[in-house]
Amino acid sequence: MQKKLLVVISIIVIAAIVTILYFYVFKEKGAIEKIKEKGYIVVGTSADFPPFEMVDEKGEIVGLDIDIAKKIAEKLGVKLVIRDIKFEGLIPALLSGDVDLVIAGMTITEERAKAVDFSIPYFEADQAVIVLKDRTDINSVEDLAGKKIGVQEGTTGDFWVTDNLVKKGKVKEEDVKRYGKFTVALLELKKGGIDAVVMDKPAAEMYVKLDNSLKVAVVIKTGEKYGIAVKKGNKDLLDLINKVLEELIKSGEMEKLIKKWFG
Ligand code: GLN
């Protein structure tokens, strides 16, 4: 009888030890620990979105988002590696583990939040319609009816055009041209292949500033909020990102960075 009791107690003790070992020794490493072990953080972005991310004369990717990414890398004490991916491929790259975070002027949407976790918002923006400067017939959303419209695939500009023009029968689905990069959409606009490009207002204004053959013809109030995305469940990394953003906002440094990049 006593022997039986001893066996039961032994089993319980062994099970307890195994459980404790499992949680403390074999526990899945957190995202931060993995990044620190690598010695670098891989940040995914789409470098066609000035002044958040763009390629400068030296071929380097720079911008407001890149400065924020630098602060995150600094806080982690690791090097920063930037990977330039077309916007549509950013969330898949995060899910497959190719990048550790995404910072790309990405709007926090309900749909995206089903796939990834977002930081606190760090910027607010609307949409805008870009046309050739000498164009006089596009001055409102209604004027887009029957036109050929370029968007960057998978962006909120794409969703806005689909929901407000295609689904309402104002623009034919085949007249919405979806491009991987904004730069290609704008080239097509200049060649006359499309009538307008819908994109986030801050980037639209930057493109127009750089190219005086273009103008912003319409502003579409959407009040979108940009957030940094991480893989779902990477709470330790998300907490650190939020801390960096909160510090930047509270200290007034974010305002300085915005001034630096928007002029
Ligand atoms: N804010 C837009 C979106 O999230 C566009 C971002 C971008 O093109 N980089 O869809």
Side-chain angles (χ1 to χ4, degrees):
M1 198 58 190
Q2 238 181 4
K3 214 173 159 188
K4 236 186 194 169
L5 194 68
L6 212 67
V7 170
V8 171
I9 289 171
S10 306
I11 289 171
I12 291 171
V13 169
I14 289 167
I17 290 171
V18 168
T19 310
I20 289 166
L21 268 180
Y22 180 78
F23 278 109
Y24 286 92
V25 183
F26 305 117
K27 186 186 71 172
E28 246 248 71
K29 284 179 190 160
I32 290 183
E33 204 181 337
K34 284 187 201 159
I35 290 165
K36 284 190 172 166
E37 271 177 12
K38 280 191 298 187
Y40 57 89
I41 183 164
V42 186
V43 168
T45 196
S46 182
D48 63 344
F49 199 64
F52 293 88
E53 38 270 333
M54 55 202 169
V55 182
D56 72 4
E57 322 80 54
K58 286 181 252 156
E60 251 174 75
I61 298 174
V62 297
L64 175 58
D65 280 346
I66 309 306
D67 280 356
I68 297 172
K70 279 182 190 158
K71 300 278 178 198
I72 294 166
E74 233 168 69
K75 186 87 165 178
L76 286 162
V78 296
K79 273 197 246 152
L80 175 65
V81 175
I82 306 276
R83 198 158 290 164
D84 186 17
I85 301 167
K86 64 175 180 179
F87 191 82
E88 179 71 352
L90 286 171
I91 288 181
L94 196 56
L95 299 183
S96 69
D98 283 351
V99 301
D100 297 307
L101 67 82
V102 165
I103 183 159
M106 186 177 272
T107 303
I108 302 169
T109 70
E110 229 172 87
E111 204 51 37
R112 287 174 183 159
K114 285 180 194 159
V116 299
D117 284 340
F118 280 107
S119 71
I120 56 167
Y122 66 93
F123 198 87
E124 204 178 310
D126 295 312
Q127 292 293 310
V129 180
I130 299 186
V131 299
L132 292 180
K133 197 162 210 162
D134 48 20
R135 189 107 195 210
T136 53
D137 61 326
I138 298 178
N139 302 299
S140 68
V141 164
E142 286 69 43
D143 294 337
L144 293 173
K147 302 288 193 298
K148 284 198 175 74
I149 301 170
V151 294
Q152 187 179 36
E153 192 176 8
T155 60
T156 44
D158 181 3
F159 305 150
W160 186 89
V161 168
T162 304
D163 291 343
N164 296 280
L165 300 176
V166 177
K167 286 189 182 158
K168 291 188 178 156
K170 293 178 182 157
V171 168
K172 283 191 233 145
E173 169 62 27
E174 63 262 34
D175 283 343
V176 179
K177 308 292 175 196
R178 297 184 171 85
Y179 302 94
K181 290 269 179 188
F182 280 130
T183 42
V184 182
L186 291 173
L187 275 178
E188 204 47 39
L189 179 68
K190 291 173 77 157
K191 277 200 280 176
I194 49 177
D195 299 293
V197 173
V198 175
M199 70 162 85
D200 292 39
K201 182 171 165 261
E205 285 175 342
M206 253 358 186
Y207 274 121
V208 165
K209 222 189 223 176
L210 299 169
D211 185 337
N212 58 17
S213 71
L214 304 172
K215 70 175 177 190
V216 170
V218 187
V219 170
I220 307 161
K221 289 247 171 268
T222 53
E224 302 169 37
K225 292 185 173 70
Y226 295 172
I228 299 171
V230 300
K231 200 169 181 171
K232 260 200 183 305
N234 281 352
K235 195 180 173 305
D236 57 343
L237 181 58
L238 192 62
D239 286 347
L240 180 132
I241 292 168
N242 281 335
K243 217 168 168 190
V244 169
L245 288 175
E246 272 163 13
E247 281 168 11
L248 284 174
I249 294 165
K250 269 199 203 124
S251 68
E253 206 170 332
M254 186 68 97
E255 229 179 279
K256 277 190 203 150
L257 286 179
I258 290 171
K259 274 215 185 90
K260 169 184 167 190
W261 289 105
F262 281 89

